[in-house]
Amino acid sequence: MCVITISHERHPTSEEIEKMGSANPDGIGILWSNKKSKTNEWVKGLTTKQAINFYKKNSDILPVGSTISHYRLASVGRGHDKTLNHPFVIDEHATNKLKGLTKKSLLVHNGHLSEWSNLMLTVTRTPKGSFS
């Protein structure tokens, strides 16, 4: 099952990222709140090595207390599809880019909706791109 971390007092160590990434090898997403611009920012589809380097190179912009990471283990959908990594922008277009910033909320979760196909019948507009 996927792993979600919240950096309350510190960011995950390289060893912790390595352990979580090897158990959940289908991609890593990192999201954070930028207090200065009042935006939520993200990058996703990272390998374990890329996530370790991202934390090292960007520790000054990743605020402790509002940085979350998600380690994906594909249970549904295509494991190789980086756009299925979390986070997801909560908007009317189901924006699904590998990096960006938004004033909208971002979503990470564990698990899946078992009745998603029935739920999709109630959606008035089907999102573009990959979804699982």
Side-chain angles (χ1 to χ4, degrees):
M1 183 176 282
C2 300
V3 172
I4 299 170
T5 66
I6 303 172
S7 299
H8 286 294
E9 297 179 9
R10 64 174 179 80
H11 296 304
T13 65
S14 296
E15 293 78 20
E16 290 168 334
I17 294 170
E18 183 70 44
K19 186 174 181 179
M20 291 182 285
S22 65
N24 300 276
D26 296 312
I28 300 169
I30 302 169
L31 60 135
W32 63 98
S33 293
N34 184 321
K35 302 293 185 200
K36 187 182 268 186
S37 64
K38 297 182 180 173
T39 57
N40 294 313
E41 302 183 28
W42 77 93
V43 61
K44 65 181 184 176
L46 303 176
T47 64
T48 299
K49 184 176 180 178
Q50 289 169 328
I52 290 169
N53 289 336
F54 187 84
Y55 269 107
K56 285 180 180 177
K57 291 179 183 176
N58 297 289
S59 61
D60 58 325
I61 66 162
L62 299 173
V64 172
S66 61
T67 300
I68 299 171
S69 54
H70 182 276
Y71 302 78
R72 182 172 188 248
L73 177 62
S75 55
V76 294
R78 296 170 293 201
H80 65 279
D81 188 343
K82 292 179 179 184
T83 65
L84 294 178
N85 290 167
H86 301 212
F88 302 107
V89 180
I90 301 174
D91 67 5
E92 59 277 4
H93 304 290
T95 302
N96 202 10
K97 297 177 182 173
L98 294 180
K99 64 180 181 175
L101 61 98
T102 184
K103 294 206 181 250
K104 306 259 184 193
S105 296
L106 299 173
L107 170 72
V108 296
H109 66 87
N110 245 342
H112 63 275
L113 295 171
S114 60
E115 296 293 323
W116 73 270
S117 57
N118 290 335
L119 180 63
M120 289 305 294
L121 295 174
T122 66
V123 175
T124 58
R125 182 177 19 183
T126 303
K128 294 181 180 176
S130 299
F131 60 95
S132 63

